[in-house]
């Protein structure tokens, strides 16, 4: 566990409600996670990231926290949490937890005090405003959830509106109040003192709002996230002052040694997204656009190259194919494309994040209408451990997918050609490869169906097409296969042309003296320091 471990890390996201149930109540819990940590270790992941497990009325499945310093009884106890951290660390696995700093639950004691009276000392811990002259919301800000409409809710008892960037059950904290800042300091320290290795910061770009509560300009008034408006800014997110909060968090983290922060920053402007990571704030942030691309090699190339061009040389984004909010890879792209998608995510220059079940090819399994609570339940179904499910001895909180008898860990564990074992091979190779851990990134000319790039002395070639593709790779006449999505691909292969089967990805070792793109005048690869880049 050396310094800056996160720079070449593979994170494994666990949705606690759906990973493993230890007590038969049908809901996953912390002891269940502890019991399944060997799976994470065998996969080769460096850390687990846990979605919220705090006490919550579940207005937004745990992202509405009513107590920052405890565990919801449905998931266990603080002792269970401590035992899980100890068990993870004993396996060399770090523990990263979700922290929701933009808002609390409307049942949090802070908010109950705040809404009790306009003169309460905690009134200014949240964002309150008088109605507009017509009695309506104070301004035109919108909730991030379309179903919620306005971002304001009238509190009849006190005659003012409070701001909620998400559901009405999630009132926004007022980060301009130093008391809020101090209170959250204690929350960070509480979990760091318990051995947590870092935080995933929920909606990090929303922490500050316009102090005058001015309307959003007409050009962006309809937007529920930040889009690419170089001049026109929304006034309820992505304000410059957000970075002051994130810098302060970084100071606290650095005081605990090798800890880190991963940001969720849904901003589509690459230049603005790049300001959120790699400096003196959060170490890394999700490249949100990565999981929004169609299955098209050119689209992914544009997406990756665009952010690389705007990112400081030592900064690393985080790549994920899906999350608890994003439909699973198999459902978006098809099972036949899952191996290439996995190779892409795990060979790009950045942190990689695997959502539980992606490694076995789980698909979305939307529940029946009467069981659907959230609209995102299809990608949150229980982990498929064996042919009977293996998740719980009781009735699972959501039904398992119909394919659980074939798509499960037990069925794939000993099959060399399984998706699970491809993930294991890729992660093991990534861990042992200096080129993937520290090398730069340069995308290479290739046919429209192929996304090809160089990582140090390696060539990664990904055929997105459902048919074979052949193309000449400039430079070397041949390369040695290091990893392939095909078990029968090995040894030295020709590069003139390089022949890729349908839906095939391959990592090739090239000779340094004939590397494609080598020794280009003035080339300075992302991640190289001045000494490496100097002629």
């Amino acid at each position: 566990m050396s310094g800056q471990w996160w720079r070449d890390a593979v994170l494994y996201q666990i949705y606690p409600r759906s990973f493993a149930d230890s007590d038969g109540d049908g809901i996953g819990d912390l002891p269940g996670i502890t019991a399944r940590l060997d799976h994470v270790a065998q996969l080769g992941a460096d850390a687990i990231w846990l979605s919220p497990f705090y006490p919550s009325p579940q207005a937004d499945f745990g992202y509405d926290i009513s107590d920052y310093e405890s565990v919801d009884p449905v998931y266990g106890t603080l002792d269970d949490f401590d035992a899980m951290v100890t068990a993870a660390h004993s396996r060399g696995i770090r523990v990263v937890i979700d922290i929701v700093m933009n808002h609390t639950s409307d049942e949090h004691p802070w908010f109950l005090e705040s809404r009790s009276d306009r003169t309460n000392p905690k009134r200014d811990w949240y964002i309150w405003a008088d109605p507009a002259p017509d009695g309506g919301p104070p301004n035109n800000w919108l909730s991030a959830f379309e179903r919620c409409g306005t971002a304001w809710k009238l509190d009849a008892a006190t005659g003012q509106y409070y701001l909620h960037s998400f559901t009405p059950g999630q009132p926004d904290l007022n980060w301009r109040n130093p008391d809020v800042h101090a209170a959250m300091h204690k929350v960070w320290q509480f979990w760091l003192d318990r051995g947590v290795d870092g935080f995933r910061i929920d909606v990090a770009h929303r922490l500050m709002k316009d102090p005058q509560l001015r309307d959003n300009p007409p050009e962006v008034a309809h937007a529920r996230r930040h889009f690419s408006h170089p001049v026109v800014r929304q006034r309820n997110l992505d304000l410059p002052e957000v970075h002051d909060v994130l810098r302060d968090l970084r100071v606290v983290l650095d005081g605990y040694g090798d800890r880190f922060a991963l940001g969720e920053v849904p901003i589509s402007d690459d230049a603005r997204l790049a300001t959120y990571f790699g400096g003196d704030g959060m170490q890394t942030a999700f490249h949100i656009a990565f999981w929004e691309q169609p299955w098209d090699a050119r689209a992914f190339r544009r997406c990756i190259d665009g952010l690389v061009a705007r990112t400081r040389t030592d900064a690393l984004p985080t790549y994920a194919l899906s999350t608890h909010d994003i439909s699973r890879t198999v459902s978006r792209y098809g099972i036949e494309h899952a191996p290439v998608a996995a190779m892409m995510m795990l060979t790009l220059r950045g942190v990689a994040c695997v959502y539980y079940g992606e490694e076995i090819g789980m698909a979305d399994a939307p529940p029946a209408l009467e069981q659907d609570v959230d609209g995102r339940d299809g990608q949150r179904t229980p982990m498929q451990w064996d042919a009977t499910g293996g998740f719980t001895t009781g009735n699972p909180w959501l039904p398992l997918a119909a394919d659980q008898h074939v798509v499960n860990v037990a069925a794939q564990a000993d099959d060399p050609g399984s998706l699970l074992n491809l993930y294991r091979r890729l992660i093991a190779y990534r861990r042992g490869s200096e080129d993937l851990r520290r090398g730069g990134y340069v995308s290479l000319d290739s046919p429209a169906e192929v996304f090809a790039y160089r990582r140090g002395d390696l060539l990664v070639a990904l055929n997105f097409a459902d048919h074979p593709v052949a193309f000449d790779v400039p430079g070397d006449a041949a390369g040695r296969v290091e990893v392939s999505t095909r078990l029968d691909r090995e040894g030295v292969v020709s590069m003139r042309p390089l022949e890729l089967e349908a839906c095939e990805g391959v990592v090739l070792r090239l000779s340094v003296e004939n590397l494609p793109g080598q020794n280009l005048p003035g080339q300075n690869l992302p991640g190289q320091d001045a000494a490496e880049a100097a002629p």
Side-chain angles (χ1 to χ4, degrees):
M1 293 189 176
S2 60
Q4 292 201 318
W5 61 272
W6 57 271
R7 291 193 67 87
D8 43 43
V10 175
L11 309 180
Y12 186 83
Q13 185 192 356
I14 292 175
Y15 194 67
R17 197 175 187 87
S18 296
F19 195 62
D21 170 28
S22 69
D23 58 10
D25 67 354
I27 298 174
D29 48 44
L30 296 178
I33 293 171
T34 303
R36 293 291 189 176
L37 284 174
D38 284 344
H39 170 72
V40 181
Q42 291 162 7
L43 186 66
D46 300 280
I48 53 174
W49 154 34
L50 271 61
S51 294
F53 50 82
Y54 312 94
S56 167
Q58 302 293 313
D60 187 17
F61 274 96
Y63 285 87
D64 50 316
I65 297 171
S66 56
D67 183 350
Y68 282 105
E69 297 181 1
S70 189
V71 173
D72 194 303
V74 75
Y75 299 127
T77 65
L78 279 172
D79 286 343
D80 292 329
F81 180 86
D82 294 340
M84 181 202 65
V85 171
T86 298
H89 285 173
S90 73
R91 292 165 171 79
I93 299 170
R94 307 264 184 169
V95 178
V96 176
I97 64 172
D98 246 313
I99 193 79
V100 185
M101 309 195 305
N102 177 73
H103 49 266
T104 69
S105 165
D106 63 353
E107 295 184 15
H108 195 291
W110 297 346
F111 187 71
L112 295 179
E113 284 192 54
S114 182
R115 78 185 312 177
S116 65
D117 187 275
R118 286 199 189 195
T119 63
N120 188 279
K122 284 192 171 61
R123 184 67 170 185
D124 193 45
W125 283 42
Y126 294 83
I127 298 174
W128 294 90
D130 291 330
D134 64 359
N139 62 29
N140 65 358
W141 297 355
L142 299 175
S143 164
F145 293 151
E146 192 166 353
R147 68 180 185 273
C148 295
T150 177
W152 297 93
K153 181 175 174 61
L154 180 64
D155 179 59
T158 60
Q160 284 188 314
Y161 283 85
Y162 67 83
L163 180 68
H164 60 87
S165 293
F166 294 89
T167 71
Q170 296 166 281
D172 283 37
L173 286 162
N174 176 16
W175 273 89
R176 296 183 185 277
N177 185 329
D179 291 337
V180 170
H181 212 119
M184 199 58 71
H185 255 255
K186 293 179 180 178
V187 172
W188 302 338
Q189 292 165 340
F190 178 86
W191 292 106
L192 292 167
D193 287 341
R194 301 193 92 89
V196 162
D197 298 287
F199 300 118
R200 178 265 190 184
I201 312 299
D202 187 62
V203 294
H205 64 314
R206 285 187 176 268
L207 299 178
M208 285 287 188
K209 285 82 177 178
D210 178 50
Q212 299 175 52
L213 304 181
R214 291 171 293 179
D215 276 353
N216 273 327
E219 301 95 318
V220 293
H222 66 286
R224 297 178 184 275
R225 53 177 274 195
H226 182 79
F227 291 92
S228 299
H229 297 277
V231 177
V232 181
R233 281 186 176 270
Q234 290 164 265
R235 291 178 171 138
N236 56 333
L237 54 86
D238 189 31
L239 270 63
E241 303 96 305
V242 167
H243 297 281
D244 295 332
V245 179
L246 299 175
R247 278 190 287 269
D248 184 60
L249 170 61
R250 177 64 175 274
V251 170
V252 174
L253 289 172
D254 288 349
Y256 280 81
D258 196 14
R259 313 294 173 95
F260 99 125
L262 160 64
E264 180 203 23
V265 185
I267 291 177
S268 57
D269 184 322
D270 287 336
R272 289 185 181 170
L273 173 59
T275 66
Y276 279 86
F277 63 97
D280 55 0
M282 298 183 296
Q283 284 97 333
T284 182
F286 281 109
H287 189 187
I288 301 292
F290 181 75
W291 61 53
E292 296 177 339
Q293 301 306 307
W295 188 250
D296 180 277
R298 293 163 297 185
F300 274 100
R301 182 195 301 277
R302 286 192 298 269
C303 172
I304 304 304
D305 289 358
L307 185 60
V308 167
R310 292 164 177 82
T311 301
R312 67 189 78 199
T313 57
D314 62 341
L316 295 176
T318 293
Y319 295 106
L321 292 166
S322 67
T323 70
H324 61 292
D325 287 329
I326 304 299
S327 177
R328 290 185 176 276
T329 306
V330 167
S331 294
R332 295 189 349 260
Y333 300 140
I335 186 61
E336 70 277 13
H337 297 140
V340 166
M343 179 171 281
M344 175 173 59
M345 178 182 67
L346 290 164
T347 59
L348 285 169
R349 183 178 177 273
V351 180
C353 184
V354 180
Y355 184 45
Y356 82 95
E358 287 288 289
E359 73 275 22
I360 58 172
M362 281 177 57
D364 295 349
L369 188 61
E370 63 272 14
Q371 293 178 291
D372 193 339
V373 177
D374 185 83
R376 296 166 289 182
D377 293 344
Q379 58 259 34
R380 301 176 178 182
T381 54
M383 181 67 173
Q384 296 163 202
W385 293 105
D386 57 39
T388 64
F391 166 71
T392 182
T393 57
N395 295 317
W397 76 283
L398 283 176
L400 277 78
D403 63 4
Q404 68 180 55
H405 62 291
V406 290
V407 179
N408 63 70
V409 173
Q412 296 188 26
D414 298 324
D415 176 5
S418 68
L419 185 62
L420 173 58
N421 277 304
L422 173 63
Y423 265 89
R424 289 172 174 173
R425 290 199 307 275
L426 284 166
I427 293 172
Y429 183 77
R430 173 189 173 104
R431 175 170 289 176
S433 170
E434 188 69 14
D435 290 301
L436 292 184
R437 291 171 58 242
R438 295 289 183 265
Y441 162 88
V442 175
S443 62
L444 302 175
D445 290 338
S446 57
E449 303 96 329
V450 175
F451 182 19
Y453 46 91
R454 179 157 62 85
R455 297 295 319 280
D457 292 350
L458 300 177
L459 169 71
V460 181
L462 308 168
N463 182 10
F464 279 59
D466 298 332
H467 58 78
V469 175
F471 68 104
D472 288 340
V473 178
D476 262 0
R480 187 180 73 242
V481 176
E482 300 283 278
V483 190
S484 173
T485 57
R486 286 170 44 192
L487 283 178
D488 61 347
R489 173 80 90 167
E490 58 184 14
V492 176
V493 297
S494 172
M495 309 284 272
R496 298 178 184 166
L498 173 61
E499 296 180 347
L500 298 174
E501 293 299 319
C503 307
E504 181 187 7
V506 63
V507 180
L508 300 171
R509 168 72 57 189
L510 306 174
S511 62
V512 176
E513 61 270 19
N514 293 312
L515 207 57
Q518 184 76 8
N519 297 325
L520 295 180
Q523 187 176 30
N524 185 4
L525 301 185
Q528 288 183 321
D529 61 24
E532 290 176 312

